[in-house]
């Protein structure tokens, strides 16, 4: 598959205000991972918690793995007052952001060592609210482009990816700089992060709610169910059953019917396997940097600011490749790069805190993060039915998060109990974790090429 569209024409897509909205919401999506991820890991490390405990703290990210369970509500439930004011997607985004803000403020006022259980509960609150926000943000991105604009999908994925990393890495660098300043502790850092959260919340009012025929499709499906139930249930009960069927059953039935059961299961397995190795590395990376001997400022310079800038640049370069040569080829390349980047960190573990090696690793890792995220976001978006965009994207993305969050929560146990603290061997192991997904991708490549051709043919793109 090769697009004949020129690169200059492709870059003209980024002038679209809708894609700017996608970028801004991408920042809102990435920022909570700072709050309960890297910054929380650094705070816990400075408080003297073990690697195993810090790793287990990451279980709160399991919310991202199961958010598909309540994703139909984001498609169907109209929030009182907020819906009439902001519409379906933006109302859910703002609703979730209010809970994220509350969690951050409460964490800032907490003695974390004395109330570790409460801290974990607040992190869980932020994780659930953020995972729900992601459902609405991903649905907003899919809905914001018309069905005949699938040629802009990789551009939208690049904006979402660069936005996510701007929120996670660029904004996430600030607290590490602050932590090395005199008289500033982690609680003060969290009050500052609450202020950043307020700024992100204000962006909801700048975006425009996307148009959709989703409600008309849902109404027709409900009518069909009610007609079937009319002979066995009274009118009120048939309406309730019809609403539940369209909300809970139809999104999953549609996905399997659209792709076929075997292909659907194959797609789910690939998505689950793809980023497990990267997730194991990411969960322990801050702990590793601090143990090797890098300062908070160096972590901010390289892992946050450096990674963020590099990832944003490569997100656009990766989107060009995906646009020209196809999403499936982009997934292959990003998978190989993931393994290579993990081996770079193994080198640092052997050589010690050498900044030039750190910089090299960050460049490779930034390329990996960007390329894989753009390809995966575009890939999952391609599989979604617009009538159930929130549910379908959440179902697919949550499977990827299941490997990234639930299994990677045991990364501290692996390094402590299985490998005896051998960081170099740990990173080699994470590199090998990429291989099963690449084998799986190769085996199902022909079906994926068919899906990609079908997806782009809707917009008349020449491939």
């Amino acid at each position: 598959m090769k697009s004949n569209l020129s690169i200059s024409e492709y870059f003209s897509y980024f002038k679209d205000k809708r894609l700017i909205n996608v970028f801004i919401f991408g920042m809102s999506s990435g920022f909570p991972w700072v709050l309960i991820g890297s910054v929380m890991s650094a705070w816990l490390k400075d408080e003297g918690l073990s690697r195993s405990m810090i790793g287990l703290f990451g279980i709160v990210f399991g919310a991202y793995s199961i958010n598909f369970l309540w994703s139909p509500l984001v498609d169907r439930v109209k929030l009182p007052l907020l819906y009439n004011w902001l519409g379906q997607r933006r109302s859910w985004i703002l609703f979730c952001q209010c809970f994220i803000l509350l969690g951050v403020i409460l964490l800032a006022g907490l003695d974390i060592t004395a109330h570790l259980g409460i801290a974990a509960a607040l992190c869980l609150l932020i994780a659930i609210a953020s995972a729900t926000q992601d459902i609405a943000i991903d649905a907003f991105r899919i809905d914001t482009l018309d069905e005949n604009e699938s040629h802009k999908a990789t551009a939208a994925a690049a904006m979402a990816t660069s936005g996510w990393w701007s929120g996670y890495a660029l904004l996430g660098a600030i607290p590490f700089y602050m932590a090395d300043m005199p008289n500033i502790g982690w609680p003060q850092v969290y009050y500052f992060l609450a202020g950043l959260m307020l700024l992100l919340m204000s962006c909801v009012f700048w975006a425009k709610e996307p148009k959709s025929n989703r409600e008309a499709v849902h109404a027709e499906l409900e009518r069909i169910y009610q007609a079937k139930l009319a002979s066995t249930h009274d009118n009120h009960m048939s309406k309730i059953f019809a609403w539940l069927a369209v909300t809970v059953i139809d999104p999953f039935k549609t996905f399997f019917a659209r792709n076929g059961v075997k292909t659907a299961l194959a797609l789910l397995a690939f998505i689950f396997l793809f980023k497990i190795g990267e997730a194991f590395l990411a969960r322990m990376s801050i702990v590793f940097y601090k143990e090797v001997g890098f300062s908070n400022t160096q972590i901010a310079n390289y892992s946050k600011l450096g990674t963020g800038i590099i990832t944003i640049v490569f997100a656009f370069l990766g989107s060009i490749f995906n646009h020209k040569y196809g999403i499936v080829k982009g997934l292959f390349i990003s998978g190989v790069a993931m393994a290579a980047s993990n081996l770079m960190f193994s080198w640092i573990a052997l050589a010690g805190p050498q900044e030039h090696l750190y910089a090299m690793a960050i460049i490779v890792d930034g390329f990996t993060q960007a390329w894989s995220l753009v390809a995966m976001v575009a890939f999952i978006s391609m599989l979604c039915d617009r009538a159930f965009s929130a549910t379908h994207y959440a179902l697919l993305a949550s499977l990827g998060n299941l490997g990234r969050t639930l299994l990677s929560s045991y990364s501290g146990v692996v390094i402590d109990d299985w490998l005896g603290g051998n960081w170099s061997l740990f990173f080699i192991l994470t590199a090998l974790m990429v291989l099963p997904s690449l084998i799986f991708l190769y085996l199902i490549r022909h079906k994926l090429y068919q899906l990609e051709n079908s997806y782009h043919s809707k917009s008349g793109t020449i491939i």
Side-chain angles (χ1 to χ4, degrees):
M1 285 167 302
K2 186 173 180 179
S3 172
N4 292 330
L5 212 65
S6 69
I7 292 178
S8 61
E9 187 175 357
Y10 175 73
F11 270 104
S12 70
Y13 296 162
F14 295 105
K15 299 176 183 178
D16 193 329
K17 180 185 174 182
R18 295 171 300 171
L19 296 191
I20 298 174
N21 293 335
V22 168
F23 174 85
I24 293 172
F25 282 141
M27 292 181 67
S28 297
S29 183
F31 186 64
W33 288 69
V34 175
L35 308 174
I36 57 177
S38 55
V39 175
M40 179 55 64
S41 293
W43 189 1
L44 294 173
K45 180 63 180 176
D46 286 349
E47 294 293 341
L49 273 74
S50 68
R51 288 174 293 202
S52 296
M53 180 59 71
I54 295 171
L56 290 173
F57 223 80
I59 289 176
V60 299
F61 285 97
Y64 293 89
S65 305
I66 60 172
N67 65 349
F68 71 92
L69 296 175
W70 60 87
S71 59
L73 300 179
V74 180
D75 262 333
R76 298 277 281 146
V77 173
K78 297 177 175 60
L79 297 172
L81 301 178
L82 288 177
Y83 173 79
N84 291 332
W85 184 22
L86 297 171
Q88 184 73 4
R89 301 311 186 197
R90 290 187 302 155
S91 64
W92 272 96
I93 293 171
L94 184 64
F95 178 71
C96 296
Q97 289 175 339
C98 289
F99 285 97
I100 295 172
L101 177 64
L102 175 64
V104 178
I105 293 173
L106 292 176
L107 276 174
L110 192 68
D111 182 344
I112 197 168
T113 53
H115 301 97
L116 195 60
I118 296 175
L122 291 173
C123 287
L124 180 61
L125 170 68
I126 294 172
I128 292 172
S130 174
T132 308
Q133 175 194 230
D134 283 0
I135 298 170
I137 287 175
D138 291 327
F140 178 95
R141 185 190 68 255
I142 294 169
D143 292 351
T144 203
L145 295 177
D146 294 334
E147 284 198 77
N148 62 354
E149 293 181 300
S150 62
H151 52 285
K152 293 185 177 181
T154 54
M159 292 295 270
T161 300
S162 58
W164 195 96
W165 275 92
S166 295
Y168 174 70
L170 300 189
L171 294 183
I174 300 173
F176 285 93
Y177 288 125
M178 294 178 66
D180 273 354
M181 293 179 181
N183 303 319
I184 294 182
W186 290 111
Q188 289 76 30
V189 169
Y190 268 79
Y191 279 121
F192 174 78
L193 294 176
L196 291 181
M197 190 65 219
L198 274 173
L199 288 176
L200 290 173
M201 291 171 68
S202 68
C203 296
V204 172
F205 305 101
W206 185 76
K208 184 178 180 181
E209 182 73 7
K211 297 178 181 179
S212 173
N213 68 341
R214 179 180 60 257
E215 292 187 15
V217 173
H218 293 168
E220 177 60 20
L221 290 172
E222 283 189 39
R223 186 193 64 76
I224 295 171
Y225 276 111
Q226 287 180 47
K228 292 179 180 178
L229 295 167
S231 60
T232 55
H233 297 81
D234 61 49
N235 188 53
H236 180 68
M237 290 301 296
S238 64
K239 285 184 179 179
I240 294 175
F241 285 137
W243 188 89
L244 288 172
V246 173
T247 301
V248 179
I249 298 174
D250 270 20
F252 303 100
K253 185 174 74 173
T254 301
F255 175 74
F256 281 92
R258 185 182 186 188
N259 297 295
V261 174
K262 289 184 179 180
T263 300
L265 291 174
L267 291 169
L268 296 177
F270 164 72
I271 292 169
F272 172 78
L273 292 169
F274 188 57
K275 303 194 79 173
I276 290 178
E278 182 187 280
F280 264 74
L281 182 150
R283 186 62 204 158
M284 282 288 106
S285 60
I286 297 298
V287 178
F288 168 68
Y289 299 144
K290 293 177 80 70
E291 286 193 9
V292 167
F294 293 114
S295 68
N296 286 324
T297 298
Q298 286 176 312
I299 293 171
N301 286 337
Y302 291 101
S303 289
K304 294 300 181 182
L305 194 61
T307 298
I309 293 172
I310 291 167
T311 302
I312 290 168
V313 171
F314 276 121
F316 291 102
L317 295 178
S319 74
I320 294 172
F321 181 93
N322 291 332
H323 171 74
K324 293 287 288 184
Y325 299 103
I327 296 169
V328 179
K329 289 186 177 69
L331 288 170
F332 270 115
I333 290 176
S334 62
V336 173
M338 273 192 281
S341 67
N342 289 14
L343 292 175
M344 286 293 301
F345 289 99
S346 182
W347 189 0
I348 294 175
L350 295 173
Q354 299 183 25
E355 285 199 52
H356 70 282
L357 292 181
Y358 197 179
M360 288 171 60
I362 290 304
I363 291 172
V364 177
D365 192 51
F367 164 78
T368 298
Q369 295 279 3
W371 210 288
S372 63
L373 278 170
V374 169
M376 186 57 79
V377 168
F379 178 66
I380 294 177
S381 300
M382 178 178 72
L383 302 176
C384 294
D385 188 310
R386 287 174 173 268
F388 303 101
S389 53
T391 306
H392 281 180
Y393 197 94
L395 170 65
L396 298 169
S398 64
L399 272 173
N401 286 325
L402 181 62
R404 293 174 58 196
T405 58
L406 187 60
L407 297 180
S408 67
S409 297
Y410 294 95
S411 54
V413 176
V414 171
I415 182 67
D416 276 345
D417 298 342
W418 294 9
L419 303 178
N422 188 329
W423 283 108
S424 180
L425 187 58
F426 173 76
F427 291 123
I428 292 172
L429 179 63
T430 62
L432 295 175
M433 289 178 181
V434 178
L435 297 180
S437 67
L438 294 181
I439 294 171
F440 210 94
L441 181 63
Y442 181 78
L443 293 175
I444 63 173
R445 68 192 185 284
H446 296 302
K447 184 62 179 179
L448 296 182
Y449 287 140
Q450 292 175 15
L451 287 171
E452 193 170 4
N453 274 320
S454 175
Y455 177 67
H456 286 294
S457 65
K458 293 178 182 178
S459 64
T461 304
I462 301 173
I463 53 178

